[in-house]
Amino acid sequence: RNLDIEREKGIQASKLAAIGELATGIAHEINQPLNHLNLAVSMNEIELEKEMPNLEKIRYHNALCLEDINRATHIIQHIRDFGRKENEEILVPIDVHKLIDRSKYLYHEFLKKLRISVSYEFLAPNPYFLGGFNRFEQVLINLISNAKDALENTSIKMIVIRTYNHEENLILEVTDSGTGIDAETIDKIFNPFFTTKEQGKGTGIGLSISYGIISAFRGNI
């Protein structure tokens, strides 16, 4: 029981660390619709000050406002869902392509700021697996975060997220244009608290937690 509690604490700590690292990009994602809202409301104010306001323009700006409100609400709800505890006993069918698309809100702007390009190759005709949505998204974010760190000192900064089916398995690959992992290190990467990063830059729990999550889904990483 104590091991389960400590494991859950580790998972939640990993989520908080991921949100903290991605905070700048998330703030930008929310700031964009807020700027659009400000502009649209200002345009409506200008129209209303006219002797004969153009109602069509006002309706158009109001429609843009509603669209951006929904976008900001969606992003905030997504962050709340990502951070909450998920029932580990419930495994549901998940479309990995939809999961990847939804997850872009968390990392797209962050990687763009670092000038890291991300491309997607959705090659799996059957993209479904049994798992937990938030926990699998945590694995994806951990892999992307590690890929991002591997590109810190490279001139070509590229991440490819690819899916395909092999026999009866659904495969998800996150590859980067970094230098790779040497043979001495590769056997240790899933060990709790093992990291090759400088102090303060990594905790060494992201991959070990990812290993535990994928194992719980009866998968391999």
Side-chain angles (χ1 to χ4, degrees):
R1 181 62 184 160
N2 287 339
L3 285 173
D4 289 340
I5 292 170
E6 289 305 313
R7 181 170 172 272
E8 183 57 40
K9 283 181 180 178
I11 290 173
Q12 292 304 114
S14 178
K15 284 184 180 181
L16 290 172
I19 291 172
E21 189 171 7
L22 301 171
T24 303
I26 293 168
H28 181 80
E29 286 280 7
I30 296 172
N31 199 45
Q32 265 192 327
L34 290 178
N35 286 336
H36 294 165
L37 287 168
N38 185 43
L39 179 62
V41 170
S42 298
M43 296 298 288
N44 278 352
E45 286 295 321
I46 291 170
E47 283 297 323
L48 291 169
E49 286 174 3
K50 294 178 181 177
E51 195 170 316
M52 294 288 290
N54 186 327
L55 293 180
E56 285 305 310
K57 275 190 178 181
I58 292 173
R59 288 193 184 100
Y60 173 72
H61 294 147
N62 283 350
L64 292 179
C65 285
L66 288 172
E67 190 178 309
D68 281 321
I69 288 168
N70 287 334
R71 180 184 170 194
T73 302
H74 179 83
I75 294 167
I76 292 165
Q77 184 59 49
H78 186 175
I79 296 165
R80 290 176 64 186
D81 288 344
F82 180 73
R84 72 180 170 84
K85 183 178 177 181
E86 192 174 53
N87 188 337
E88 292 193 17
E89 300 302 318
I90 300 175
L91 300 181
V92 297
I94 293 170
D95 182 337
V96 74
H97 296 162
K98 287 184 179 178
L99 183 149
I100 293 168
D101 279 334
R102 187 185 113 148
S103 300
K104 291 177 187 176
Y105 281 116
L106 291 180
Y107 63 79
H108 176 76
E109 285 298 329
F110 179 68
L111 296 180
K112 185 178 175 182
K113 186 180 177 185
L114 296 173
R115 298 183 179 179
I116 296 172
S117 69
V118 186
S119 60
Y120 303 88
E121 298 178 9
F122 291 167
L123 307 176
N126 179 19
Y128 293 92
F129 69 99
L130 285 177
F133 200 103
N134 293 336
R135 283 181 288 154
F136 193 84
E137 186 174 50
Q138 184 177 0
V139 173
L140 178 63
I141 296 299
N142 283 340
L143 295 176
I144 290 171
S145 179
N146 278 338
K148 177 266 298 180
D149 289 340
L151 299 174
E152 188 173 350
N153 298 313
T154 61
S155 55
I156 298 173
K157 299 181 184 294
M158 186 169 63
I159 294 173
V160 180
I161 298 174
R162 181 184 297 109
T163 69
Y164 58 93
N165 293 115
H166 177 65
E167 296 176 349
E168 295 183 354
N169 297 312
L170 170 64
I171 311 296
L172 169 70
E173 289 182 353
V174 179
T175 61
D176 61 70
S177 55
T179 57
I181 305 171
D182 60 62
E184 188 178 337
T185 305
I186 196 74
D187 292 332
K188 303 175 186 175
I189 60 172
F190 295 117
N191 293 351
F193 306 110
F194 173 79
T195 181
T196 58
K197 298 170 190 174
E198 297 174 18
Q199 190 169 0
K201 285 194 173 183
T203 59
I205 62 172
L207 284 180
S208 63
I209 284 172
S210 297
Y211 182 91
I213 290 171
I214 296 300
S215 297
F217 295 163
R218 304 181 186 92
N220 295 304
I221 180 169

